[in-house]
Amino acid sequence: MCFSTKPSQIYIDPTKSNMVDVLLSDAEKTFIIHGIQDNLRDDGRGCEDYRHMEIETDVVSSTSGSAKVRLANTEILVGVKAELGEPSPGKPDKGRLEFFVDCSANATPEFEGRGGEDLALEISNMLARAYDCPSCLDLGKLCVVKGQQCWVLYVDILLLECGGNLFDAASVAVKAAIHNTCIPAVTVSKDEGHVDIELSDDPFDVHHLDVTSAPCIVTLSKIGHSHVVDASQKEEACCLARLMMGVTEKGTVTALKKEGSGSLDPSSVEEMMETGKRVGQALNKSLKEVLCQEEQKGKKKEQTGFLR
Amino acid sequence: MPTDSRRIAGPESSTNPYNFCSEKPRHELLQNGKRQDGRKENNIRPIFLKAGVVSQARGSAYIEQNETKAICAVYGPREVIRKEDFSMKGLLTCEFRFATFSCRERRQHQQDVEEKDYSVQLLEALEPAICLDKFPKAQVNIYVTVLQNDGSALAAAITCASVALADSGIEMYDMVAGSSVRVAGKSLLMDPSYQEEYKPEEDTGLTNSGSVTVGLMPSLQQVSAITSKGEIEFELVKQAVAKCVEVCTQLYPVLQQALVRSVSEKEDEDG
């Protein structure tokens, strides 16, 4: 059970940055909570259903890899830039992966100035944590000269429209964008102590990273006595506690985080994790299929543009 | 890296000498069922917890788990300075800091990403336990400084901060006890020390390697915080969470005792 003093008097805290711009009356909230109890949500979904998701890769030609994800009215654009840099001292034989989230004020005026900073930090920290395990992504492939040069992947996440469930959408977009990333081939030659790095002239002489075991984030929102995946903005406003999980295709958990001002019963934590694992594995599987299709279509595919 | 121009910043660039270690000595986490410091898998380190250590603060506490030492001070409820932060609920802020010398590598004065992440996690662990509706339009500030980090710093910070909050007399539903566990292979090591803690840069070759931290409100039996790092099999995550919940429940009398002692000390002072 979700714990709070008076469940009927939940209101949106203006200081909570991830609850963007929805005002619901108590009656509307009760309606949503009761619906979820009967496994029927206000848009007709069941508790474990995602909204319609569209994924498109290779959308920005100035990047090494990019992807756009539209989840109902949440729109996220991810661009990956590969640059040469120094490896971190702790991992001299690995490349680096850096996440940056930009909350565009287009999405909501609350993000103006430094308004979106907290949310941006939360998303990038969660992604960094989910990807921070040796088996998720083979960063050893990004090493160029051990201890001196490696590829740094700057993963920039741009929120274009906020319609709830930003974390899941962002993680799907990141996985798709990394899948799409082309890392140019380099040749390293050593003579008399100093190292020469030469970049291949052929634009098709590139290699890709394997994202099969990369995680997707699944957010489970506790609403009333039940929990739902992929909460819409309205549902997020009714939710006091969320559990976010980084789940891989194998069903392992790479990151776990409870978020929100409420607390959870240990038994419901377990239930939520069960659901998260099941849903996460299914999400990874269908994402893999979609990414395979995208790859086969190649350049011939129809471009659809943003924010439709 | 942004630097603070008002501080004297040591050498412009320096490297941690440990990076030049030729081959880092690999320690086995468990030898004959015993850990490096002689504990068993399930044993936690002894805890010293004392409330009322900072005289100016409204409430404060100090925690020591062998070499992990943290201090926490609570200020408020006081007026919210920024008008736009108006809220019918009280505002809670948390600042988690590592002292610059507290870890193996020196830390910067400015809050880094890890500290910011811990601040948010600490805030979310404590928020469910506080009756925020009792002080509208006001804020409560919680500051935690880790003086020495020998593992499980976040768990210690959660425990320490909740005792400090209770010591300040702010109305709460319950206290929050924190505990963490290191998952390595099939074994679960409770309350890991710095050496045992999960470090993503170390490739242990284990399929299951990570850590889980849980914050629990013991008398309500409600989980207020969960975080994990590293890749762990699903069944083991469940086990790890259950173990942490169990340990947090065991910690509760320690928290109570610290509070009772601080109250009776205050009474003695008042005569």
Side-chain angles (χ1 to χ4, degrees):
Chain A
M1 201 198 106
C2 203
F3 180 77
S4 109
T5 31
K6 291 175 196 159
S8 61
Q9 288 194 355
I10 307 156
Y11 60 87
I12 304 155
D13 189 347
T15 55
K16 273 273 167 263
S17 52
N18 45 0
M19 293 182 184
V20 177
D21 238 355
V22 181
L23 285 168
L24 287 184
S25 69
D26 282 355
E28 283 171 295
K29 279 179 184 162
T30 318
F31 176 74
I32 289 174
I33 292 169
H34 285 178
I36 286 167
Q37 261 173 24
D38 300 332
N39 195 22
L40 183 65
R41 293 158 74 176
D42 67 335
D43 46 10
R45 285 181 289 161
C47 287
E48 287 182 22
D49 297 338
Y50 266 86
R51 291 169 290 178
H52 182 67
M53 198 188 296
E54 280 167 42
I55 298 167
E56 203 181 317
T57 53
D58 207 8
V59 281
V60 185
S61 57
S62 58
T63 58
S64 314
S66 60
K68 188 199 77 174
V69 164
R70 185 165 182 84
L71 177 64
N73 56 339
T74 299
E75 175 118 11
I76 286 172
L77 179 63
V78 174
V80 181
K81 282 258 192 200
E83 282 180 14
L84 282 167
E86 270 181 40
S88 58
K91 305 177 209 174
D93 53 351
K94 297 243 169 97
R96 270 161 46 202
L97 193 61
E98 310 258 346
F99 293 98
F100 295 96
V101 179
D102 188 4
C103 298
S104 156
N106 287 335
T108 158
E110 280 168 41
F111 289 159
E112 200 191 319
R114 311 186 67 170
E117 235 172 43
D118 291 345
L119 177 63
L121 191 76
E122 237 175 90
I123 297 177
S124 57
N125 276 345
M126 186 63 196
L127 284 168
R129 186 129 53 95
Y131 273 89
D132 201 3
C133 51
S135 53
C136 289
L137 209 58
D138 186 11
L139 293 177
K141 273 192 178 170
L142 298 178
C143 178
V144 179
V145 184
K146 190 184 168 187
Q148 289 174 35
Q149 289 285 308
C150 70
W151 286 106
V152 186
L153 295 187
Y154 291 101
V155 182
D156 289 294
I157 300 148
L158 190 60
L159 307 184
L160 296 175
E161 203 180 335
C162 298
N165 205 13
L166 297 172
F167 285 81
D168 297 19
S171 76
V172 169
V174 165
K175 192 170 168 178
I178 295 178
H179 174 84
N180 182 239
T181 301
C182 301
I183 294 152
V186 285
T187 43
V188 181
S189 52
K190 278 185 192 162
D191 51 64
E192 289 159 27
H194 79 103
V195 185
D196 271 342
I197 296 173
E198 204 177 330
L199 198 71
S200 165
D201 292 331
D202 182 4
F204 294 103
D205 189 10
V206 292
H207 64 267
H208 290 269
L209 280 169
D210 181 23
V211 291
T212 329
S213 46
C216 277
I217 295 174
V218 178
T219 309
L220 299 131
S221 311
K222 185 90 189 169
I223 298 173
H225 293 275
S226 333
H227 52 263
V228 298
V229 297
D230 187 25
S232 66
Q233 251 179 319
K234 277 183 189 172
E235 286 164 340
E236 275 180 5
C238 304
C239 165
L240 283 173
R242 269 178 288 276
L243 193 68
M244 289 185 273
M245 294 169 77
V247 186
T248 62
E249 207 181 50
K250 285 177 289 176
T252 53
V253 178
T254 60
L256 199 61
K257 189 188 178 189
K258 180 238 133 200
E259 201 228 32
S261 61
S263 58
L264 299 161
D265 202 67
S267 62
S268 73
V269 169
E270 204 167 292
E271 278 170 35
M272 285 163 91
M273 290 202 307
E274 298 269 7
T275 314
K277 182 199 168 197
R278 199 166 51 235
V279 172
Q281 278 184 296
L283 180 65
N284 274 305
K285 212 176 137 217
S286 41
L287 177 60
K288 193 178 169 185
E289 281 167 23
V290 171
L291 289 177
C292 278
Q293 282 171 17
E294 276 281 319
E295 207 172 22
Q296 279 163 9
K297 272 192 230 161
K299 291 280 172 203
K300 282 175 278 177
K301 71 177 182 220
E302 231 176 280
Q303 297 274 345
T304 47
F306 302 124
L307 295 167
R308 281 176 305 121
Chain B
M1 183 68 155
T3 47
D4 192 340
S5 58
R6 282 160 298 182
R7 283 187 199 275
I8 304 162
E12 204 125 282
S13 77
S14 55
T15 325
N16 182 4
Y18 294 113
N19 290 339
F20 296 100
C21 288
S22 51
E23 192 53 44
K24 279 174 196 151
R26 275 275 293 278
H27 296 283
E28 284 301 317
L29 289 171
L30 271 175
Q31 270 175 338
N32 311 325
K34 283 215 169 163
R35 288 151 73 173
Q36 281 160 48
D37 47 8
R39 283 187 284 162
K40 288 201 184 120
E41 273 185 55
N42 278 335
N43 290 10
I44 59 167
R45 293 172 288 183
I47 293 182
F48 173 78
L49 189 59
K50 186 173 161 49
V53 286
V54 181
S55 58
Q56 296 101 319
R58 176 85 187 268
S60 58
Y62 171 74
I63 192 168
E64 207 174 287
Q65 290 178 284
N66 279 357
E67 301 294 288
T68 296
K69 293 159 191 166
I71 193 162
C72 171
V74 175
Y75 292 86
R78 56 186 178 190
E79 195 187 351
V80 177
I81 301 149
R82 273 173 45 214
K83 268 266 165 57
E84 57 266 40
D85 284 347
F86 173 84
S87 152
M88 280 307 286
K89 271 203 315 190
L91 186 72
L92 194 65
T93 68
C94 266
E95 194 183 273
F96 181 99
R97 296 299 299 268
F98 283 108
T100 46
F101 47 76
S102 63
C103 303
R104 224 161 98 113
E105 285 161 43
R106 184 175 180 273
R107 283 182 176 264
Q108 296 299 318
H109 283 285
Q110 279 191 335
Q111 213 178 17
D112 62 21
V113 178
E114 190 186 8
E115 289 170 313
K116 277 185 187 155
D117 191 26
Y118 279 175
S119 304
V120 174
Q121 286 175 29
L122 185 60
L123 177 79
E124 272 162 2
L126 297 170
E127 212 179 346
I130 303 169
C131 309
L132 286 170
D133 46 329
K134 297 284 181 186
F135 43 96
K137 295 187 268 180
Q139 61 172 340
V140 171
N141 310 104
I142 302 166
Y143 304 103
V144 177
T145 308
V146 174
L147 304 176
Q148 193 176 342
N149 177 18
D150 188 29
S152 315
L154 180 64
I158 291 174
T159 312
C160 183
S162 82
V163 171
L165 271 167
D167 180 54
S168 71
I170 287 167
E171 284 179 70
M172 292 166 83
Y173 299 110
D174 195 359
M175 291 203 276
V176 188
S179 75
S180 73
V181 63
R182 163 75 206 264
V183 182
K186 290 276 168 221
S187 45
L188 299 172
L189 310 175
M190 292 310 300
D191 190 18
S193 66
Y194 184 80
Q195 270 189 333
E196 291 166 342
E197 250 186 354
Y198 170 70
K199 294 172 208 75
E201 63 268 21
E202 267 176 25
D203 204 349
T204 49
L206 295 166
T207 42
N208 274 306
S209 185
S211 66
V212 178
T213 303
V214 169
L216 180 88
M217 299 196 274
S219 64
L220 296 170
Q221 279 294 313
Q222 290 273 321
V223 176
S224 70
I226 297 188
T227 79
S228 86
K229 281 191 281 193
E231 188 172 10
I232 316 172
E233 237 168 71
F234 183 73
E235 286 303 315
L236 274 165
V237 179
K238 276 205 316 204
Q239 279 179 32
V241 172
K243 271 268 173 64
C244 282
V245 168
E246 197 186 303
V247 169
C248 287
T249 317
Q250 286 170 6
L251 288 182
Y252 195 37
V254 182
L255 275 73
Q256 283 173 319
Q257 206 186 10
L259 268 186
V260 169
R261 195 179 300 146
S262 101
V263 171
S264 56
E265 268 171 25
K266 270 179 202 155
E267 271 179 355
D268 288 346
E269 277 170 31
D270 296 340

